Amino acid sequence: MSSGQFSPLINLLETLEETGFSPGQISMFLRALHNNGWARRDIAELGQSGERMQAVLRYVRKKAEIWEPRHRRCEWREVNGVIYFTVTSDGTTGPEWVKRLESRGCSLSPQAKNALYSTNFQPTHGVTYEIAVIKGERYHDGDRNTRKIRDSSLFGFSEPNAEVSCLIWKMFIDEEIKEMGLESIVAMHEPILVSGGFLVLLTVSRHGDGSWLIASPAHSGKMLPESVGFAFN
């Protein structure tokens, strides 16, 4: 590929820099283009057209919420197969979480969206949750399912608010979840009823096919892998 073929992308990056976007924000912007199906031809046309670029920038300024990348890794600790950290709520509603997560590259399953739009999803503001994620390896194979784990009196923890799932997704990047030895974290909140009559638990899922917020069955007897963690308060 000749250097000339890169010029539209270079023009695009220079325009973003000139308007005050940080390198982290530019990276998020390009990732969003990729995640939404933009091809090289689309980016070339965008970079070649100042009018189109300005239209996109106006839309971004008015509509898109760009979160600043963290400059430090989030703090967490593990003790005897339990991971501890804190998250603090900010009053974000379920529908607002849908927009926030999707704008940051998170894929949401239909049932997860259904749960976030449910009136049973009740956000708080300024509440700090002391989260304990029990790693799946702490459970015997026959006990590692949501039906049995919901009775967690053995560990002395309680149900968190459902918003904890979104706060966990927001707090940790994929590499940090992997460093914990996990691929998924099920928030063990009060189950939310979704369409079809299913009771579900919101679940952060970060593995080979990307970053997701999905809905896990709340009372399933299916054995889960050791790479799943279960979040309590």
Side-chain angles (χ1 to χ4, degrees), residues 95-195:
E96 288 171 342
W97 272 121
V98 171
K99 293 180 181 179
R100 278 189 162 191
L101 294 172
E102 290 185 333
S103 72
R104 203 179 179 192
C106 177
S107 299
L108 286 83
S109 71
Q111 286 191 333
K113 281 189 177 182
N114 196 305
L116 290 173
Y117 282 117
S118 169
T119 56
N120 290 325
F121 184 92
Q122 295 291 325
T124 65
H125 189 279
V127 175
T128 297
Y129 299 100
E130 302 285 342
I131 301 301
V133 177
I134 305 173
K135 299 178 77 171
E137 63 190 34
R138 288 288 303 271
Y139 298 93
H140 297 297
D141 287 352
D143 296 329
R144 198 183 311 116
N145 60 67
T146 55
R147 183 169 60 199
K148 289 189 176 181
I149 293 174
R150 285 197 55 74
D151 182 11
S152 60
S153 57
L154 175 64
F155 298 102
F157 298 121
S158 59
E159 293 179 340
N161 188 302
E163 67 186 341
V164 159
S165 58
C166 303
L167 294 169
I168 291 174
W169 198 100
K170 175 186 173 183
M171 182 172 183
F172 294 108
I173 59 176
D174 293 15
E175 287 74 14
E176 290 169 321
I177 298 290
K178 293 174 183 176
E179 286 176 9
M180 296 175 185
L182 300 173
E183 290 187 345
S184 300
I185 299 177
V186 184
M188 302 302 285
H189 55 79
E190 181 70 24
I192 296 177
L193 183 66
V194 297
S195 59

